[in-house]
Amino acid sequence: MTNAQEKPSLSYYLPKDVTYNKSIPTPESVLGHEVGKWHVTHDKLVMYMKVLAKSSDRITLENRGKTFEDRPILLLTVTSPANHQNIESIRQEHLSLTEKSGANAQIANMPIVVYQGFSIHGNEASGSNAALLLAYHLAAAEGTQIDNLLKNTVVLLDPCFNPDGLQRFAGWVNMHKSEHLISDPQDREYDESWPRGRTNHYWFDMNRDWLPVQLPESRARIKTFHNWMPNILTDHHEMGSNSSFFFQPGIPSRTHPLTPQMNQDLTKEIATYHAKAFDKIGSLYYTEESFDDFYYGKGSTFPDINGSIGILFEQGSARGHVQESENGLITFPFAIRNQFTAALSTLEAANTMRTTILRYQRQFYENARKEAARTKAKAYIFGDEKDAAKTYHLAEILKRHQISIHEVKNDVTVAGTKYKKGASYIVPRDQRQHRLINAIFEKRTQFQDSLFYDISAWTFPLAFNVSYNDLSSLSNAGNEITDLQAPTGTVNGVGNYAYLFEWNEYYSPKALAIIKSKNLRAKVAMKPFTLEGVRYDYGTIMIPVQNQRLNAQEMKKFLNYVAKKSRVNITAVSSGLTEGIDLGSSNFKAVGNPKVAMLIGDPITSYDAGEIWHLFDQRYEMPLTKLDMRNFDRMNLSKYTHIILPNTYSLSKSYTSKLKNWVKSGGTLIAYRNSVRYLSKNSFMKLDLKKTGIDAKNVSFEQRRDHNGAQVIGGAIFNTKIDRSHPINFGYLKDELPMFRNTTVFVNPHEKSYNNPIQYTNSPLLSGYVSEENLELLKNSVPFQTKRMGSGRVIAFTDNTNFRAFWYGTNKLLMNAIFFSGMM
Ligand SMILES: [Zn+2]
């Protein structure tokens, strides 16, 4: 299309030399408008795919689940009608390439499997809009070329990776579209409101969740992936409006070392097909200068550790219907056409390189088996003797990746660490997913490059704060777990005196929240004690039976419900006399009923806010009011006991003084990451912040970006020493706690050591990249401080304790800050 104002038409998008079956409905005939005239809403996209699947014997359509907003998660399986007749045996035969049994599989006659996915970032919408055209083309194109393609290929067409985000963005740009398009980048159409359409319902970047698999959309996707083990997976994105089009390979030095070189070589060969197709339509493109293949939680990198080839596409974004850019007017139809072109060139590459790529997959697993056989350590064991739920959630991730795990036969001690049956699992390393297991468990501190597109470490047992060890034999492995069951909670015994439960379990805060929401009295133990032969740790919750709103019988029934709901074991006791603090001691402190709010909206980071919202709503079922900064001056803060301030750099002066007054009159403010700098600067709490930044000596203009980038902590894991007697650490079993850090805010310790309950060790790097300069600054600094201010309290975390819904290990810190702030 030469003129931005010209109406888009099918002939603009589709290849010129192809005829189309007239009986297959075009997108326009169902949507009511041509592709690219409006941004398709997810609802309409679903409507079209349903109609299309009904009219074509090349397509089957399945719904694999629901998003948080109950939108269907669709998948189209596209192949020749003859292949559809045998689809299950094709799948089984294809999977055999990842097993020993596939050694003699007839690759010459096997279809290649290509997973094509679109718009995981909802406001990068040209992908999903191109998916309409791709589906139409695959259903309606006629001739030997398409017949040959469909005979040799099974296409898993995932038209929208992020239904909720796509719908949100479509609503925004469509409602601001003028009939006579406005290309001025300052128009409201191009200036989405917070939290924008990139993320899912809880504001997660879903293109970081391929490895943790914590979100329903990812669960469906990963299931499809393992169900088919595709050979190529493409991930269609958009980038800044002044950019052209990018396809992988990315920056060669930033490929994860566990990815075979052959993967990158094949990516490069596939790229020649994209180049040829883009040359033909005259669209600008580039490769190898940006993006990387390091973090396996991204769609284009995850396949690389699974014997597949992940490919990232990035289109310069119109972020609406047309925008002025350095490359002239960039129209939405232009962006769609490029995505569609890349989707077709992918299929052409797949078809032509079919046997080479199938052989690569078989080789990948053959080599993995050889590596596995050579590995000295035969298995990993992991667990947490006092937290079955958290351990279960890690096991659940492994199961989602089809990693086989075993029960622990008997309680066992490995290198001084106790592993309890029922709260520990064994992962044999000699299995199909050997390489993926390495990627999940390994610690890495040496890197070829010092720049990372995303995090540089994700070692799962550290994220979950579970113990783990190598095993030299499988002698202690019990049955393989085929049906992983979540732990259940019960009430042991009947008590007319009190009930107790420890704070170690992941869901202990959920139990307490339910109890407090009933306005029952509960107290927390400030010291350990022993009662009826059981030792109870710091933070044990005690619910007295007498003088409550429920009588003894009602209480028993209610606590049964709490135990079941929170998977926590509750113990009834008949006496208050203990070894240590008695149950009537003033060392049991009353826990209040928190009313929590969180500040959101510009200038607060939506990811961090979303993680906290998700934690409260999905994990702990605790109410959390979201206060938009836009109307902050009109809000009545007196109803909240706690306000959370996620990552931000500053707030306006009037908001600052309003927040201060609220703290002084008794509120507790909990701030995260760069907000800590803001707190210190605005005298909420005086902190001794270390000076950061290094000199640029002998750095050329060309090297300036790498020089500065090397000082970024994109995300790495560091060890801390904790004081378990401080309420912020209640529920933690060990004296060390791995923390995830993605800031360069460094705080010097307080002069009184008891005010430093969490402190980085002298050699804190556990896994990931950090510059030598930053590591020096980090040593012995503190990621947590708290101080009184008037009748209230300020709590500061420099690290993200809620990272991406899978940092289970530090989630309790925020709960401690809420329930136990009064005891600090
Ligand atoms: Zn993107």
Side-chain angles (χ1 to χ4, degrees):
M1 196 163 54
T2 47
N3 184 340
Q5 308 291 345
E6 208 175 281
K7 279 202 182 79
S9 68
L10 263 191
S11 65
Y12 168 67
Y13 297 116
L14 300 177
K16 304 284 171 270
D17 47 355
V18 179
T19 59
Y20 289 87
N21 180 347
K22 294 257 178 341
S23 70
I24 301 291
T26 63
E28 185 179 14
S29 71
V30 175
L31 306 179
H33 63 81
E34 190 48 85
V35 172
K37 186 182 178 195
W38 297 93
H39 279 62
V40 76
T41 56
H42 190 258
D43 305 332
K44 279 194 172 184
L45 181 140
V46 170
M47 199 160 79
Y48 179 63
M49 296 306 178
K50 281 187 176 165
V51 171
L52 194 66
K54 232 181 212 155
S55 69
S56 169
D57 56 1
R58 297 172 178 174
I59 298 179
T60 56
L61 179 70
E62 61 184 298
N63 177 12
R64 297 167 297 163
K66 285 173 173 189
T67 67
F68 281 116
E69 294 176 15
D70 283 339
R71 277 176 236 288
I73 304 172
L74 297 185
L75 181 77
L76 288 76
T77 304
V78 193
T79 190
S80 69
N83 285 345
H84 269 302
Q85 299 293 318
N86 296 313
I87 198 78
E88 184 54 21
S89 63
I90 289 174
R91 188 181 74 87
Q92 293 294 350
E93 210 186 344
H94 180 76
L95 289 182
S96 78
L97 294 182
T98 67
E99 308 272 8
K100 255 193 204 134
S101 59
N104 299 313
Q106 293 304 306
I107 279 179
N109 306 318
M110 286 171 75
I112 189 169
V113 180
V114 183
Y115 193 146
Q116 297 185 283
F118 300 87
S119 299
I120 199 162
H121 297 138
N123 60 3
E124 301 174 4
S126 56
S128 282
N129 284 269
L132 297 165
L133 297 166
L134 180 63
Y136 171 72
H137 173 85
L138 293 175
E142 292 174 321
T144 51
Q145 212 180 341
I146 188 85
D147 289 344
N148 178 277
L149 176 77
L150 293 176
K151 180 176 153 265
N152 290 328
T153 321
V154 175
V155 180
L156 305 171
L157 203 170
D158 196 329
C160 183
F161 277 154
N162 180 2
D164 296 346
L166 187 83
Q167 184 87 8
R168 190 156 74 230
F169 181 64
W172 180 268
V173 283
N174 287 341
M175 82 190 217
H176 291 105
K177 182 191 168 203
S178 302
E179 184 169 351
H180 306 283
L181 301 181
I182 302 299
S183 60
D184 181 351
Q186 299 196 61
D187 190 275
R188 194 163 191 244
E189 180 175 342
Y190 311 108
D191 186 20
E192 276 178 277
S193 72
W194 199 98
R196 303 171 189 90
R198 176 181 175 89
T199 49
N200 78 344
H201 178 78
Y202 286 100
W203 313 334
F204 283 101
D205 181 340
M206 288 203 293
N207 198 32
R208 304 295 182 265
D209 193 44
W210 292 71
L211 205 53
V213 213
Q214 294 301 305
L215 307 168
E217 299 88 344
S218 321
R219 264 172 235 165
R221 223 183 305 126
I222 293 302
K223 202 166 167 198
T224 302
F225 187 95
H226 290 304
N227 197 33
W228 268 104
M229 300 303 278
N231 298 95
I232 298 176
L233 184 146
T234 53
D235 188 19
H236 291 253
H237 289 249
E238 290 182 1
M239 55 184 162
S241 304
N242 288 324
S243 308
S244 60
F245 191 93
F246 169 85
F247 44 81
Q248 276 180 324
I251 296 172
S253 62
R254 297 191 212 161
T255 303
H256 198 289
L258 293 178
T259 297
Q261 180 56 39
M262 187 67 177
N263 167 290
Q264 296 292 301
D265 296 345
L266 290 170
T267 302
K268 208 164 175 171
E269 194 178 333
I270 293 169
T272 62
Y273 291 80
H274 309 316
K276 209 174 80 193
F278 276 67
D279 288 342
K280 203 167 154 190
I281 59 169
S283 289
L284 295 174
Y285 58 84
Y286 75 101
T287 69
E288 292 194 311
E289 287 176 76
S290 50
F291 303 104
D292 69 9
D293 257 333
F294 194 83
Y295 171 44
Y296 289 122
K298 290 187 304 168
S300 51
T301 311
F302 173 77
D304 301 344
I305 193 67
N306 285 286
S308 174
I309 301 165
I311 291 175
L312 172 69
F313 294 123
E314 293 273 356
Q315 161 66 43
S317 184
R319 207 78 67 203
H321 293 88
V322 58
Q323 258 199 82
E324 292 157 14
S325 82
E326 284 175 12
N327 297 311
L329 286 180
I330 174 162
T331 69
F332 186 44
F334 172 74
I336 294 171
R337 189 179 64 163
N338 285 342
Q339 300 277 23
F340 175 63
T341 302
L344 289 191
S345 54
T346 300
L347 291 175
E348 198 198 331
N351 192 10
T352 317
M353 296 169 65
R354 180 175 61 89
T355 53
T356 309
I357 295 174
L358 287 169
R359 241 178 264 120
Y360 165 72
Q361 182 177 35
R362 183 161 66 186
Q363 192 68 50
F364 178 97
Y365 282 95
E366 224 174 274
N367 291 344
R369 276 195 298 277
K370 281 183 202 152
E371 276 167 34
R374 281 198 302 267
T375 309
K376 255 214 200 111
K378 291 297 165 213
Y380 287 113
I381 183 167
F382 69 88
D384 184 322
E385 55 172 311
K386 284 204 166 182
D387 191 346
K390 188 182 69 179
T391 313
Y392 156 79
H393 283 303
L394 177 51
E396 190 182 42
I397 294 174
L398 301 178
K399 290 299 284 181
R400 282 185 185 136
H401 288 301
Q402 297 200 352
I403 290 169
S404 76
I405 55 175
H406 290 248
E407 286 174 357
V408 175
K409 227 186 262 172
N410 303 301
D411 293 3
V412 62
T413 301
V414 183
T417 306
K418 246 169 73 189
Y419 292 96
K420 234 176 83 182
K421 187 177 155 77
S424 308
Y425 303 91
I426 288 175
V427 190
R429 296 181 68 179
D430 190 359
Q431 59 171 296
R432 188 176 74 144
Q433 299 288 46
H434 172 76
R435 285 179 167 172
L436 186 63
I437 293 169
N438 286 348
I440 287 173
F441 280 84
E442 72 159 20
K443 284 197 269 190
R444 189 174 284 272
T445 51
Q446 298 294 321
F447 300 91
Q448 199 190 341
D449 205 309
S450 52
L451 273 76
F452 295 85
Y453 186 76
D454 196 69
I455 57 176
S456 59
W458 51 84
T459 315
F460 277 65
L462 297 180
F464 276 73
N465 186 34
V466 294
S467 300
Y468 71 118
N469 283 97
D470 287 338
L471 292 180
S472 53
S473 88
L474 285 166
S475 60
N476 220 327
N479 293 334
E480 184 181 348
I481 297 170
T482 48
D483 183 20
L484 182 67
Q485 294 291 331
T488 49
T490 53
V491 178
N492 307 316
V494 217
N496 282 325
Y497 194 81
Y499 290 90
L500 300 171
F501 66 89
E502 286 197 286
W503 196 244
N504 305 95
E505 277 284 342
Y506 183 78
Y507 290 111
S508 297
K510 181 172 173 176
L512 182 58
I514 303 172
I515 290 164
K516 289 310 298 179
S517 71
K518 269 269 178 195
N519 280 320
L520 295 172
R521 282 182 298 108
K523 289 185 164 187
V524 58
M526 302 299 289
K527 290 173 189 286
F529 59 93
T530 301
L531 179 58
E532 294 170 357
V534 182
R535 187 182 184 275
Y536 293 89
D537 206 357
Y538 296 104
T540 294
I541 302 297
M542 189 265 295
I543 306 115
V545 174
Q546 296 305 313
N547 198 21
Q548 294 269 26
R549 287 178 60 254
L550 302 179
N551 66 36
Q553 200 138 35
E554 292 166 335
M555 181 74 98
K556 161 92 181 162
K557 203 174 146 205
F558 172 67
L559 290 180
N560 256 311
Y561 162 80
V562 173
K564 225 173 136 188
K565 196 126 202 270
S566 63
R567 313 182 180 287
V568 168
N569 288 320
I570 302 176
T571 306
V573 291
S574 50
S575 168
L577 187 64
T578 78
E579 289 163 47
I581 53 171
D582 294 333
L583 300 194
S585 159
S586 60
N587 268 311
F588 278 92
K589 303 278 186 204
V591 180
N593 193 4
K595 296 271 178 285
V596 189
M598 172 170 67
L599 304 184
I600 64 157
D602 284 316
I604 285 156
T605 307
S606 60
Y607 299 139
D608 295 50
E611 288 161 0
I612 294 167
W613 178 24
H614 175 266
L615 183 70
F616 272 70
D617 197 25
Q618 291 290 322
R619 297 273 170 77
Y620 294 131
E621 293 180 34
M622 284 165 64
L624 176 71
T625 303
K626 304 184 291 302
L627 304 175
D628 196 314
M629 294 310 296
R630 202 161 30 108
N631 296 317
F632 191 60
D633 46 357
R634 286 196 269 125
M635 278 161 184
N636 168 19
L637 302 186
S638 66
K639 32 175 160 176
Y640 310 113
T641 57
H642 294 72
I643 291 179
I644 303 171
L645 174 60
N647 186 54
T648 190
Y649 290 88
S650 70
L651 297 178
S652 79
K653 240 186 178 155
S654 67
Y655 289 5
T656 299
S657 67
K658 178 165 178 159
L659 211 47
K660 259 189 198 169
N661 288 336
W662 171 80
V663 175
K664 280 179 191 158
S665 57
T668 297
L669 178 67
I670 303 167
Y672 273 102
R673 296 175 61 207
N674 290 293
S675 306
V676 171
R677 227 189 278 268
Y678 156 83
L679 290 188
S680 185
K681 217 159 120 191
N682 290 279
S683 311
F684 281 85
M685 67 194 316
K686 264 287 157 234
L687 293 173
D688 185 6
L689 297 175
K690 298 192 188 193
K691 262 185 104 119
T692 55
I694 54 161
D695 301 339
K697 281 180 189 148
N698 302 317
V699 178
S700 73
F701 180 74
E702 191 188 0
Q703 293 165 332
R704 72 198 185 286
R705 272 217 183 93
D706 291 356
H707 171 79
N708 294 329
Q711 298 306 320
V712 171
I713 302 181
I717 310 169
F718 301 96
N719 206 12
T720 64
K721 241 188 142 38
I722 64 171
D723 170 0
R724 296 197 327 110
S725 74
H726 193 287
I728 196 65
N729 294 324
F730 282 180
Y732 285 99
L733 209 55
K734 294 182 280 182
D735 297 328
E736 292 184 339
L737 177 63
M739 303 276 287
F740 173 82
R741 159 171 279 253
N742 54 355
T743 55
T744 48
V745 183
F746 304 104
V747 183
N748 273 317
H750 192 268
E751 57 195 31
K752 298 195 168 83
S753 60
Y754 55 78
N755 286 329
N756 302 311
I758 310 176
Q759 184 164 18
Y760 285 111
T761 64
N762 197 38
S763 164
L765 180 61
L766 288 173
S767 192
Y769 169 79
V770 63
S771 72
E772 280 173 33
E773 296 85 356
N774 283 336
L775 186 58
E776 208 45 54
L777 291 170
L778 193 71
K779 282 179 185 172
N780 303 312
S781 71
V782 291
F784 166 87
Q785 284 286 280
T786 177
K787 277 180 189 165
R788 291 202 66 87
M789 178 180 182
S791 321
R793 176 168 290 280
V794 184
I795 293 177
F797 290 105
T798 60
D799 298 358
N800 187 351
T801 63
N802 317 300
F803 190 59
R804 291 181 184 166
F806 84 102
W807 225 266
Y808 281 73
T810 47
N811 283 159
K812 196 164 278 141
L813 292 175
L814 177 54
M815 293 299 124
N816 289 349
I818 284 164
F819 284 112
F820 309 140
S821 54
M823 296 99 194
M824 292 178 188

